[in-house]
């Protein structure tokens, strides 16, 4: 793991391809069939698409839409998508949210918006920093420095715990979890994987 370098407390970056550990974990889960893409072609929405290797992998499965509330941060092929108002976006097979929901003002409302944008049996792949035993919301008066210290980022509006599963289920999703410890220890060391959990939320038929 010495070849990888830290960015903040919760990220290890590859010095060669600059992929983040969360991206390496997700791709490894696909490679090992721990995570499976449904039969395609698929209509996939990737929010905050900084994970270029993952984008390439997803684009091979069908129509990949790269979106963000500030699309200019990611290049000309990214369109504006606001998770708080997804009117006009529909028939999605998969929505990919890698370290996105800790930035969203009202995550429950956003999950309801995503629900409405999915086809039946559509999925949401969710990764967030898991910091506490229970999710904590930042009060409006919390300073950026305190958010950085307590919530892992100066622009984070909450710090999640494992109870994010229940928050997602409250919308009506069924939720499964894939833990990084399902990957052999030697491979986790080689790939520079930190402890991580991927939440797979599915909209029932």
């Amino acid at each position: 793991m010495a070849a990888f370098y830290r960015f903040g407390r919760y990220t290890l970056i590859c010095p060669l391809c600059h992929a983040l550990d969360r991206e390496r974990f997700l791709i490894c889960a696909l490679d090992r069939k721990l995570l499976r893409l449904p039969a395609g072609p698929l209509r996939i929405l990737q929010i905050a698409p900084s994970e270029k290797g993952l984008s390439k992998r997803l684009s091979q499965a069908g129509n990949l839409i790269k979106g963000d509330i500030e699309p200019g941060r990611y290049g000309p092929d990214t369109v504006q998508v606001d998770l708080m108002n997804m009117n006009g976006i529909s028939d999605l097979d998969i929505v990919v949210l890698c370290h996105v929901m800790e930035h969203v003002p009202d995550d429950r409302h956003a999950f309801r918006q995503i629900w409405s944008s999915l086809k039946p049996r559509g999925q949401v792949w969710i990764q967030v920093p898991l910091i506490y035993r229970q999710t904590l919301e930042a009060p409006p008066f919390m300073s950026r420095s305190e958010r950085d210290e307590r919530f892992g980022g100066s622009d984070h509006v909450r710090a999640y715990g494992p109870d994010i599963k229940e928050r997602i289920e409250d919308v009506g999703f069924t939720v499964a979890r894939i833990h990084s410890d399902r990957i052999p220890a030697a491979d986790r060391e080689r790939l520079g994987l930190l402890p991580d959990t991927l939440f797979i939320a599915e909209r029932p038929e």
Side-chain angles (χ1 to χ4, degrees):
M1 193 177 292
F4 299 92
Y5 64 92
R6 283 193 175 269
F7 178 78
R9 286 175 288 168
Y10 305 105
T11 301
L12 279 180
I13 299 177
C14 174
L16 300 177
C17 68
H18 308 294
L20 307 182
D21 58 282
R22 59 181 181 252
E23 177 182 8
R24 298 192 298 274
F25 169 43
L26 210 157
I27 292 174
C28 185
L30 285 167
D31 288 341
R32 290 181 171 273
K33 310 300 184 186
L34 301 175
L35 175 65
R36 295 178 183 269
L37 286 162
L42 304 173
R43 180 171 159 85
I44 303 171
L45 173 63
Q46 182 185 12
I47 297 295
S50 59
E51 300 86 5
K52 295 180 180 180
L54 178 60
S55 298
K56 182 178 180 180
R57 183 69 171 268
L58 296 174
S59 68
Q60 296 169 356
N63 178 24
L64 175 63
I65 304 164
K66 299 179 184 179
D68 194 74
I69 195 168
E70 297 180 2
R73 298 175 59 190
Y74 300 98
D77 60 344
T78 303
V79 300
Q80 186 168 44
V81 176
D82 183 355
L83 294 180
M84 301 297 290
N85 183 2
M86 295 182 68
N87 292 338
I89 302 175
S90 61
D91 295 323
L92 296 173
D93 295 288
I94 299 175
V95 177
V96 180
L97 305 169
C98 295
H99 285 228
V100 169
M101 297 309 297
E102 64 271 21
H103 301 270
V104 175
D106 184 340
D107 60 344
R108 289 184 171 92
H109 176 76
F111 284 132
R112 288 192 292 270
Q113 291 284 305
I114 294 167
W115 166 282
S116 298
S117 75
L118 287 168
K119 296 177 182 177
R121 300 295 301 274
Q123 297 181 353
V124 195
W125 299 355
I126 304 157
Q127 288 173 297
V128 295
L130 294 176
I131 299 176
Y132 297 116
R133 292 186 177 181
Q134 288 189 313
T135 299
L136 298 178
E137 301 281 345
F141 55 80
M142 182 177 284
S143 68
R144 290 179 64 86
S145 60
E146 187 175 0
R147 288 173 192 257
D148 189 47
E149 175 63 27
R150 294 181 56 195
F151 286 13
S154 61
D155 56 350
H156 292 185
V157 299
R158 70 186 57 80
Y160 281 107
D163 62 334
I164 184 179
K165 179 176 183 288
E166 285 71 39
R167 293 166 84 101
I168 303 166
E169 290 172 335
D170 286 347
V171 177
F173 288 105
T174 60
V175 181
R177 290 171 289 198
I178 300 173
H179 300 289
S180 56
D181 61 8
R182 292 182 63 183
I183 297 168
D187 289 337
R188 295 200 306 271
E189 180 74 15
R190 177 177 58 83
L191 294 170
L193 300 185
L194 296 173
D196 202 350
T197 301
L198 174 64
F199 297 86
I200 311 299
E202 182 173 293
R203 174 178 171 168
E205 290 192 68

